[in-house]
Amino acid sequence: MAARNPLSEEELSCPVCCDIFRDPVVLSCSHSVCKSCLQQFWETKGSRECPVCRRRSSKDDPPCNLVLKNVCEALLESRSQRSSAGSEGLCVLHNEKLKLFCLDDQQPVCLVCQTSKKHKSHDFCPVDEAVTEFKDKLKSALEPLHENLRVLEEAKRDYDQTAAHIKTQAQHTERQIKEEFEKLHQFLRDEEAARIAALKEEEEQKGQMMRRKIEEMNGEISALSETIRNIEKEMEAEDVLFLQSSVLRAQLTPKDPEKTSGALINVGKHLSNLKFRVWENMQEVLQYTPVTLDPNTAHPRLHLSDDLTAVENTKQRSSLPDNPERFDEWWCVLGSEGFNSGIHCWDVQVGDSDYWELGVITESRTRKGDSVWGSSRHSFTPKETLQRVRVQLDWYRGKVTFTDLLTNTHLHTITHTFTQRVLPYFWNRSVHPLRILPVKTSVTVEQHS
């Protein structure tokens, strides 16, 4: 075994790299430096000076400090042996088995360490007892970690489901947009075809009229030309014969041709305010509903129509993301837009649905569990059979009024002081749909005086 080194590790450290010397060289000023550190220092400084005292070195290649090199190598070897012993469960100081655990210093020690000055008056326990205790603590600490991992994995599954649903929503919505625009395109194509057909029909009618008049004119021209030729022929006859001809007795007053009124294409009829007239006709195929449904709030058992105006109960739960906006207990769906001012109304065809509820609910109300029931929900459940119900919200006056549309009979009024945005509310446990009815639209032209 190597002799104990009387020097500290600080004294055996290079002044440049601050680590144990490796291949140390000695300068003329007696300071020692790692050979590689010295060369790098000189290249950086551009002069051969000592990194410690800045004294210029007289030699380009200082000699090796052999004694210092041997001491450092012995120190490094000893450190390596201690590290190896520690990894094998042996005390790095006494090379004895680590059988005890110091409770004060929280580290394993050997029997020799127990009697040393460093651990004097400390409390100890067997290593296996300490291991058991630490394992129990780690086991307890692992439980919330496992629970947290489970929660994170569930959240990731929700995220995966949401990401897949987003893609499905986008594809379905894109398909619906294309279908709606195709209907508009087809309407415009039909309008274009009808207007071009009307133009062609007028062209044909007025073309026939002009062809008939041209034929009549050709007949008159032929007859007049024949008359002119006969007159010119008789004018060449002898005087007596000319005087005896019928030309002098004939009426030769020319007749002017008639002008044809309205013969041209009525361009104004076809082009005047063309876009406006098409838009005006479009009102027959367009529908406007003052309230549409928000599919992101619908309970998984509810099914919405493609135009988001009807809701029915399918009795089968769809696989939908459990997003915060969605109802998970009550079979509800909300309107896509809320109101925080003004007067608003919407008509609902309840038809054969026998288990429904209409009203409004505050936007901030949670949609989870039973907590949707409460003062934030203002709704009406009928006691009689109805077909059509009008819901009218007067936000400023704090009233929600329900009316039977077929009999124009008042059904119920809820009063409340609204302080925040409210959303239309629909609850349906029936397979028969609740349908929001469209309102009549019109096009008006305002004349400026």
Side-chain angles (χ1 to χ4, degrees):
M1 179 180 290
R4 181 176 176 84
N5 193 345
L7 299 177
S8 65
E9 291 190 8
E10 184 179 354
E11 294 174 304
L12 298 177
S13 299
C14 170
V16 176
C17 66
C18 299
D19 201 356
I20 302 299
F21 283 108
R22 295 183 182 275
D23 295 326
V25 295
V26 62
L27 301 175
S28 55
C29 59
S30 300
H31 289 121
S32 294
V33 188
C34 293
K35 184 175 182 179
S36 60
C37 293
L38 181 64
Q39 294 299 328
Q40 185 176 4
F41 182 79
W42 281 359
E43 289 176 1
T44 302
K45 294 292 292 182
S47 61
R48 297 192 307 272
E49 59 182 40
C50 173
V52 180
C53 65
R54 306 301 181 183
R55 182 176 175 182
R56 185 175 181 80
S57 175
S58 59
K59 297 179 180 179
D60 294 339
D61 188 13
C64 175
N65 190 335
L66 188 57
V67 176
L68 182 58
K69 179 181 179 181
N70 291 337
V71 172
C72 291
E73 288 179 350
L75 176 62
L76 291 173
E77 183 180 357
S78 174
R79 179 188 291 178
S80 176
Q81 291 176 351
R82 291 198 301 270
S83 175
S84 176
S87 64
E88 295 175 357
L90 299 177
C91 178
V92 296
L93 297 177
H94 308 106
N95 204 27
E96 298 286 340
K97 285 188 176 182
L98 302 170
K99 295 184 177 181
L100 300 175
F101 185 79
C102 179
L103 300 176
D104 295 82
D105 293 334
Q106 291 289 296
Q107 65 179 27
V109 296
C110 68
L111 295 175
V112 179
C113 290
Q114 183 185 15
T115 60
S116 67
K117 182 184 296 186
K118 179 179 179 182
H119 295 282
K120 186 177 181 181
S121 72
H122 286 184
D123 292 327
F124 300 88
C125 71
V127 167
D128 55 351
E129 289 184 9
V131 170
T132 301
E133 181 181 354
F134 276 110
K135 284 185 177 179
D136 290 340
K137 289 182 179 180
L138 286 176
K139 186 177 181 181
S140 299
L142 279 175
E143 291 179 0
L145 295 180
H146 281 299
E147 176 63 20
N148 190 33
L149 177 62
R150 184 189 64 78
V151 172
L152 291 176
E153 289 175 344
E154 288 183 358
K156 182 182 179 299
R157 285 194 294 271
D158 290 342
Y159 289 161
D160 292 338
Q161 184 184 19
T162 301
H165 187 66
I166 289 172
K167 188 172 183 179
T168 301
Q169 275 187 313
Q171 292 173 346
H172 178 73
T173 305
E174 180 180 352
R175 184 167 60 251
Q176 289 298 112
I177 291 173
K178 288 182 177 180
E179 289 178 2
E180 292 300 317
F181 270 93
E182 177 56 30
K183 293 176 183 177
L184 295 176
H185 294 160
Q186 187 59 49
F187 172 83
L188 292 176
R189 286 193 290 266
D190 293 343
E191 279 285 318
E192 178 186 13
R195 291 174 184 277
I196 290 178
L199 173 63
K200 294 294 184 182
E201 183 180 1
E202 183 179 355
E203 179 189 15
E204 179 63 24
Q205 291 174 352
K206 293 189 174 179
Q208 287 181 357
M209 179 185 68
M210 293 310 298
R211 286 192 294 272
R212 186 173 61 253
K213 288 185 175 295
I214 289 172
E215 290 177 1
E216 293 174 356
M217 189 63 66
N218 286 336
E220 292 181 8
I221 290 173
S222 296
L224 184 59
S225 298
E226 181 66 22
T227 299
I228 292 172
R229 283 195 299 271
N230 291 335
I231 292 174
E232 290 176 344
K233 184 177 180 180
E234 291 182 6
M235 288 176 64
E236 295 176 356
E238 295 179 1
D239 294 344
V240 174
L241 294 177
F242 171 72
L243 293 174
Q244 293 176 345
S245 68
S246 60
V247 174
L248 297 177
R249 296 186 295 273
Q251 296 292 330
L252 300 179
T253 304
K255 182 176 67 173
D256 294 332
E258 295 180 357
K259 297 294 184 180
T260 303
S261 177
L264 300 180
I265 294 292
N266 189 350
V267 177
K269 181 184 73 173
H270 298 288
L271 293 182
S272 179
N273 295 311
L274 177 59
K275 297 185 184 68
F276 179 82
R277 299 304 176 195
V278 172
W279 179 50
E280 198 173 31
N281 291 342
M282 192 178 289
Q283 305 306 305
E284 300 175 5
V285 298
L286 298 181
Q287 287 188 340
Y288 173 77
T289 51
V291 170
T292 56
L293 305 175
D294 182 0
N296 294 336
T297 67
H299 186 278
R301 291 185 183 273
L302 298 180
H303 172 73
L304 308 186
S305 61
D306 288 337
D307 61 359
L308 305 179
T309 62
V311 54
E312 62 185 7
N313 198 310
T314 62
K315 304 298 184 181
Q316 294 182 346
R317 192 178 185 91
S318 302
S319 178
L320 296 172
D322 187 23
N323 48 298
E325 300 86 359
R326 191 178 307 282
F327 289 96
D328 62 353
E329 286 289 336
W330 298 98
W331 297 352
C332 310
V333 63
L334 302 182
S336 58
E337 294 185 17
F339 309 111
N340 59 0
S341 63
I343 299 175
H344 310 271
C345 72
W346 52 96
D347 300 337
V348 182
Q349 175 81 43
V350 298
D352 296 326
S353 179
D354 55 359
Y355 205 178
W356 54 269
E357 189 172 282
L358 301 174
V360 296
I361 189 172
T362 56
E363 186 176 38
S364 62
R365 190 66 178 181
T366 180
R367 321 284 167 80
K368 305 303 180 184
D370 295 341
S371 57
V372 65
W373 270 192
S375 61
S376 62
R377 182 178 121 271
H378 313 282
S379 59
F380 165 70
T381 303
K383 296 181 180 179
E384 62 271 46
T385 301
L386 300 170
Q387 286 293 315
R388 294 185 176 185
V389 176
R390 169 166 293 174
V391 183
Q392 179 168 304
L393 165 69
D394 188 335
W395 197 91
Y396 289 119
R397 296 178 64 187
K399 287 186 177 182
V400 184
T401 305
F402 303 88
T403 306
D404 183 349
L405 273 183
L406 296 185
T407 62
N408 198 27
T409 302
H410 173 263
L411 298 172
H412 185 62
T413 296
I414 296 172
T415 58
H416 179 79
T417 302
F418 296 115
T419 58
Q420 56 178 294
R421 185 183 299 272
V422 295
L423 294 160
Y425 165 84
F426 304 82
W427 186 75
N428 188 16
R429 292 196 65 172
S430 171
V431 295
H432 303 290
L434 300 177
R435 186 177 302 278
I436 306 168
L437 299 175
V439 297
K440 185 177 181 180
T441 59
S442 62
V443 178
T444 59
V445 179
E446 181 179 350
Q447 295 285 355
H448 296 285
S449 58

